[in-house]
Amino acid sequence: MSGDERAGTRRTRRARTAARSDASSPGNKSGKSGAPRGTSRGKKGSDAAPPLPDRDAILEFIRTSETKVGKREIARAFGIRGADKIALKALIRELADEGLIAGNRRHMRGTGTLPPVTVLEIVAQDDDGEYVCRPARGDDGEGVTPQGVIVDGPRRGESPAGIGDRVLARLTPISEPDPGGYAFTAEIIKKLPRDDRQLLGVFRTASDDRSRDAGFIEPIDRRNLKTFLVAKADQDEARDGDLVRFTLTGNRRLGPPRARVATVLGNPDDQRQISLIAVHAHGIPETFSPAVIAALDELPPLDLSARDDLRDIPLLTIDPADARDHDDAVHARSDDDAANPGGWVVTVAIADVAHYVRPDTALDRAALERANSVYFPDRVVPMLPEKISNDLCSLRADVERPCLAMRMVFDATGKRRSFRVLRGVMRSRARLSYQQAQSAIDGEPDADTAPLLDDILRPLWSAYRTLAGARDTRAPLDLDLPERRITIGEDGRVAGISVPPRLEAHRLIEEFMIQANVAAAEALEARRSPLVFRVHEPPAPEKLEALRDFLETLEINVPKGGSLRPGHFNRILAQVKGSPHDQLVNEVILRAQSQAVYAPENLGHFGLNLRRYAHFTSPIRRYADLIVHRALISAYKLGPDGLAPGTADMLSEIATTISERERRAMAAERETIDRLVAAH
């Protein structure tokens, strides 16, 4: 189907939804007035009881009614009284036994239909980037689980729904054949909590004939002591011992609750499944829709004529040795301006993802749904397809790549004097690891770094040491929390766990990125552009009080009253450095801090001790940075692919979404590390 045809289909679905809303307005409620078909009500004033309605009349009444239908409503609609209600009850039971209606005596519906308002589970995105959903509980009464498409919602102010979410929605049946095979459209009324419904467990086959159910599920979460019965029709292809993701299919007053296998994940004892457990447990999308894959063949070409030519600048990428994407490059040279003796010109160039990922496209919707890449020891769940993240936007050595660059001028004290935003084309001189760059500076260059040492690497380090002096004066929070590195062997099992040393090369890249992020925030704020800030508020008073109580047990005093600055915490950390309590105090101070989030309002960054801060340096793996890139393109008139109209009105929702997705990714990464360490 062509793009125009798909767009027409979407418009038709929405028109049907609007028509349904009109039809359900006061004065146009079917099933509420007039005699139902299939019965004669008799003449006015007649004492003759109306005949019992036929089967078709009852089914038609249930199907067309816009209100709840039970035995009482049927009897009232057809004028059934007295002893005839017994015959009506028998007829209703007969229809239920034959599978023609479902529900109970107070709320029944025809099979093959769904309630007008129900709970849905969002399970995928279709070729048009629209969300596909299905009823969260059971089937349509005929053993078939119908699927529908979300056409509207949630309400303004609520966070957007995504794959894995449960929503309360108003349904509109699609009576005509739908090109996508959908049975209904859905308007979201409310997004529902998801954590208690997205569950993982081990499927077991029943070992006795205690019930008609052929299996059950033991949850992975040991806090959940229930087991869940699984009917044969709900097992998918699960075998005894398989790890499965499952959903609840309803509550029962008596006996264990029932569940349906949603996804079969494999052997839970295989360590290669541990990151997969985290992916499914947190509802992180693993695959890209066909629409996203198709969009990769239609990416816009690169027009070099409209860009600044940065190819002669010997920019370098410096990343971990096993880095999967390379989206930032750096360069520094001494400033030749006589008015700035001892100053430096630093260029930070970032892959121009905005050139390829345009607003309101399938690629853009997929990126927002993920909001960030998720990194595990054995796999990466990327925000963008590999053709973009590992190819077109990977700053490979000696390959021309589009970029957005921040060129900054610093004085001899490390204070920034000016900056300039550039949209250019670059060619990285080399791709180095942190260890390579550090070894070269420490006097042990290799074949790759020796030619770069004097003209490129040493100026980088000299500029960094100037900026480091200004950073020390600023005194950001300086926690020392070593990161565990897990090595996975060829057999998929943990081969080793180590704590890599913190090198000066790490701090160099970190400081250059911070300076570029600050410049981006200031640039957009000065232009009064819509902006997603990275904000980190001061610790909450109750957390500070708990921290004081703890530190007093170590005979460390924390000033009371007034506002604490990062420098106060740094002095405490200096007191315990090298002591038996060093690591513990670092952890406790970290836990006392607020969570950093994204927001359209500038609330400052406490940890970095900065008045304004935004993420600019990693658009391959963070949607926030892509928003900042588009804002810079619009604010500085650097091309037609900047912010879409109306983005400013959506920034609050976008900020909420990407903050939630970031917490989701962090939880998944942390759980995987903990499980792998425990398994090792």
Side-chain angles (χ1 to χ4, degrees):
M1 192 173 14
S2 71
D4 291 340
E5 290 170 328
R6 287 197 296 269
T9 300
R10 292 196 297 272
R11 286 193 294 270
T12 301
R13 290 176 186 144
R14 285 168 171 78
R16 289 177 186 147
T17 300
R20 177 188 182 278
S21 299
D22 292 340
S24 61
S25 60
N28 195 20
K29 296 274 189 182
S30 65
K32 278 197 153 187
S33 62
R37 292 187 298 169
T39 180
S40 77
R41 301 296 300 271
K43 295 181 180 180
K44 186 176 180 180
S46 172
D47 294 331
L52 196 68
D54 60 32
R55 296 155 56 97
D56 291 340
I58 291 178
L59 292 174
E60 177 71 4
F61 176 70
I62 294 173
R63 186 185 68 80
T64 59
S65 177
E66 289 284 346
T67 61
K68 182 182 76 171
V69 175
K71 177 189 167 187
R72 179 182 299 174
E73 286 74 25
I74 296 174
R76 183 181 298 124
F78 289 94
I80 308 298
R81 298 188 299 271
D84 287 340
K85 289 185 178 180
I86 298 175
L88 175 64
K89 181 178 179 181
L91 180 55
I92 290 172
R93 186 186 303 114
E94 183 181 307
L95 293 172
D97 290 343
E98 293 178 18
L100 296 176
I101 61 174
N104 55 47
R105 66 186 182 89
R106 292 185 177 180
H107 194 176
M108 59 186 70
R109 59 183 171 84
T111 57
T113 66
L114 289 166
V117 174
T118 192
V119 176
L120 302 176
E121 178 184 20
I122 300 176
V123 295
Q125 272 184 298
D126 66 11
D127 291 351
D128 299 312
E130 293 186 300
Y131 286 122
V132 180
C133 55
R134 67 185 181 194
R137 296 185 178 184
D139 52 39
D140 64 358
E142 297 178 337
V144 176
T145 302
Q147 289 193 330
V149 61
I150 304 289
V151 295
D152 191 25
R155 293 174 177 173
R156 188 173 184 85
E158 289 190 8
S159 60
I163 295 172
D165 281 328
R166 293 168 60 252
V167 297
L168 182 66
R170 182 174 291 107
L171 308 190
T172 301
I174 298 177
S175 56
E176 301 173 10
D178 185 82
Y182 301 125
F184 60 87
T185 61
E187 300 171 81
I188 296 176
I189 299 171
K190 182 180 180 181
K191 180 180 172 183
L192 302 175
R194 65 186 289 175
D195 290 343
D196 61 337
R197 307 292 296 193
Q198 302 299 314
L199 304 167
L200 286 171
V202 177
F203 177 79
R204 301 293 185 190
T205 54
S207 57
D208 53 40
D209 296 328
R210 60 185 175 181
S211 73
R212 291 177 298 172
D213 299 281
F216 59 96
I217 292 174
E218 298 172 342
I220 286 290
D221 188 345
R222 299 304 180 191
R223 295 170 297 181
N224 192 337
L225 301 179
K226 297 179 181 178
T227 58
F228 300 89
L229 291 178
V230 184
K232 281 187 177 181
D234 292 331
Q235 290 181 25
D236 197 4
E237 297 180 358
R239 295 178 297 180
D240 188 68
D242 276 348
L243 178 72
V244 298
R245 184 172 77 83
F246 66 97
T247 56
L248 306 185
T249 58
N251 296 320
R252 305 178 72 192
R253 292 184 179 180
L254 299 174
R258 293 179 179 269
R260 178 181 66 218
V261 173
T263 311
V264 179
L265 303 177
N267 181 3
D269 295 326
D270 187 340
Q271 290 182 13
R272 286 171 294 190
Q273 297 288 352
I274 289 178
S275 59
L276 196 58
I277 290 174
V279 168
H280 283 267
H282 292 275
I284 297 171
E286 286 182 272
T287 59
F288 291 98
S289 71
V292 172
I293 302 303
L296 298 176
D297 296 327
E298 302 174 0
L299 295 175
L302 182 59
D303 181 7
L304 302 184
S305 63
R307 293 176 173 267
D308 292 295
D309 191 346
L310 309 179
R311 288 173 288 187
D312 290 337
I313 299 176
L315 290 149
L316 297 177
T317 63
I318 305 177
D319 293 295
D322 59 351
R324 296 170 171 92
D325 48 50
H326 309 274
D327 56 354
D328 57 78
V330 295
H331 175 261
R333 63 172 175 82
S334 57
D335 191 2
D336 53 14
D337 184 352
N340 187 29
W344 294 94
V345 178
V346 174
T347 301
V348 175
I350 308 298
D352 189 358
V353 177
H355 173 73
Y356 297 108
V357 183
R358 306 291 177 94
D360 199 29
T361 61
L363 275 169
D364 182 50
R365 289 190 291 271
L368 178 56
E369 163 61 23
R370 293 164 184 243
N372 45 252
S373 298
V374 190
Y375 294 87
F376 302 105
D378 61 334
R379 75 183 72 217
V380 174
V381 181
M383 185 180 81
L384 295 167
E386 287 191 6
K387 182 172 181 178
I388 294 177
S389 60
N390 289 2
D391 183 8
L392 297 176
C393 288
S394 186
L395 305 182
R396 298 175 177 175
D398 298 320
V399 178
E400 292 180 351
R401 288 288 185 252
C403 68
L404 233 65
M406 192 69 68
R407 180 174 290 168
M408 300 167 286
V409 178
F410 298 90
D411 65 19
T413 67
K415 181 180 178 181
R416 194 182 68 241
R417 291 165 56 98
S418 64
F419 63 82
R420 182 184 173 196
V421 180
L422 305 168
R423 197 175 196 190
V425 58
M426 59 162 286
R427 184 190 293 118
S428 174
R429 179 66 61 87
R431 192 191 82 182
L432 304 180
S433 69
Y434 287 116
Q435 291 77 11
Q436 272 185 297
Q438 189 67 57
S439 294
I441 290 297
D442 292 343
E444 297 180 2
D446 58 21
D448 293 328
T449 55
L452 311 173
L453 185 57
D454 291 333
D455 295 335
I456 302 176
L457 287 173
R458 283 187 174 134
L460 271 176
W461 251 258
S462 297
Y464 160 68
R465 285 165 181 161
T466 298
L467 269 59
R471 180 201 63 205
D472 293 342
T473 301
R474 188 178 83 239
L477 185 59
D478 191 18
L479 291 167
D480 182 16
L481 296 167
E483 187 175 338
R484 293 173 294 185
R485 177 184 174 83
I486 295 179
T487 304
I488 304 294
E490 293 183 1
D491 61 354
R493 302 186 68 81
V494 176
I497 301 173
S498 61
V499 179
R502 175 86 166 148
L503 304 175
E504 194 176 34
H506 291 100
R507 296 183 180 275
L508 180 150
I509 295 300
E510 183 180 273
E511 187 61 27
F512 283 3
M513 297 303 115
I514 288 172
Q515 292 296 336
N517 287 336
V518 173
E522 291 184 0
L524 291 172
E525 203 171 47
R527 298 270 171 134
R528 298 186 178 181
S529 168
L531 170 60
V532 174
F533 291 92
R534 179 64 166 177
V535 301
H536 182 220
E537 296 189 81
E542 57 272 18
K543 287 190 174 184
L544 282 179
E545 194 59 39
L547 177 63
R548 285 190 183 97
D549 292 343
F550 166 74
L551 291 176
E552 283 178 0
T553 66
L554 302 179
E555 298 183 352
I556 299 173
N557 295 320
V558 179
K560 291 189 177 183
S563 59
L564 293 179
R565 303 304 305 161
H568 292 101
F569 293 110
N570 290 342
R571 285 191 285 274
I572 294 169
L573 294 170
Q575 280 183 255
V576 300
K577 191 171 182 62
S579 75
H581 307 299
D582 186 347
Q583 201 62 35
L584 176 60
V585 172
N586 272 270
E587 288 280 357
V588 173
I589 289 180
L590 173 65
R591 293 183 183 184
Q593 305 305 310
S594 301
Q595 175 108 36
V597 296
Y598 295 102
E601 303 86 16
N602 180 20
L603 304 176
H605 199 293
F606 177 82
L608 294 174
N609 202 10
L610 292 167
R611 292 183 179 178
R612 59 190 60 82
Y613 194 64
H615 274 163
F616 161 76
T617 53
S618 292
I620 280 179
R621 61 186 181 90
R622 293 188 305 226
Y623 194 83
D625 305 56
L626 180 56
I627 289 286
V628 169
H629 276 224
R630 288 173 179 165
L632 288 168
I633 291 167
S634 295
Y636 284 84
K637 296 179 172 53
L638 300 175
D641 44 0
L643 289 176
T647 300
D649 297 331
M650 300 169 57
L651 280 187
S652 182
E653 292 179 16
I654 291 173
T656 298
T657 297
I658 60 182
S659 296
E660 290 177 352
R661 300 295 191 260
E662 179 187 48
R663 289 193 291 274
R664 177 180 72 178
M666 291 171 62
E669 292 168 349
R670 183 173 58 251
E671 287 176 15
T672 298
I673 294 294
D674 291 344
R675 285 180 180 270
L676 285 171
V677 169
H680 183 63

